[in-house]
Amino acid sequence: MATFSKTSEERLLTCHPDIVAVCRELIKQMDVSVLCGRRTKAEQEAAYKAGRSFAQYPQSAHNRLPSHAVDLAPYPIDWNNLQRFKEMWLRFDAIARVLKERGEIMSDFIWGGDFKRLKDCPHIEIKEN
């Protein structure tokens, strides 16, 4: 069974407890790396300027404390294998639904791979009602 690296664990701990709970179950099924949890103002502005985000600080879900977004990648990372990112999302979503049914989390999630303007396959965020 895979486990999070020290770096992934540190990034994960900047996230909302519901994200943490789902990721702790996901790692039992699929080896994933946590690329980003909470972003500082400088990190968000850099992502915006590089075209990796359409949101300026503090409008990204990554800018909340704790972060309402996480960027994950199946490990080992192959940016060209979009099917693995979709599989990761489908597993994450299935786990989240089970945990919500059990009352262990409260959140629903959306996936950046479904975004219309900027496909962001690593990105998963809490769906704001």
Side-chain angles (χ1 to χ4, degrees), residues 16 18-19 68 96-97 100 105-109 126-127:
H16 187 282
D18 287 359
I19 292 173
H68 280 216
R97 290 173 191 269
K100 189 171 182 183
I105 67 169
M106 300 296 293
S107 302
D108 294 311
F109 297 90
I126 293 174
K127 181 179 180 181

Side-chain angles (χ1 to χ4, degrees), residues 4 8 11-12 15 19 23 32-39 44 47 52-53 60 62 67-74 77 79 85 88 92 111-112 115 120-125:
F4 287 116
S8 285
R11 291 171 179 160
L12 181 61
C15 296
I19 292 173
C23 287
V32 295
S33 293
V34 180
L35 306 175
C36 180
R38 184 169 189 280
R39 283 190 194 136
Q44 185 62 41
R52 295 187 315 271
S53 176
S60 170
H62 283 286
S67 179
H68 280 216
V70 65
D71 290 349
L72 302 172
I77 300 171
W79 295 108
F85 281 91
M88 177 190 70
F92 184 101
W111 178 48
F115 290 174
D120 190 357
C121 291
H123 184 84
I124 298 170
E125 72 179 66

Side-chain angles (χ1 to χ4, degrees), residues 39 42-55:
R39 283 190 194 136
E43 291 166 335
Q44 185 62 41
E45 292 303 317
Y48 177 79
K49 288 177 184 171
R52 295 187 315 271
S53 176
F54 282 122

Side-chain angles (χ1 to χ4, degrees), residues 73-90:
Y75 187 83
I77 300 171
D78 178 354
W79 295 108
N80 296 313
N81 190 341
L82 300 181
Q83 187 57 39
R84 286 184 67 225
F85 281 91
K86 186 169 186 170
E87 177 188 350
M88 177 190 70
W89 160 245
L90 293 173

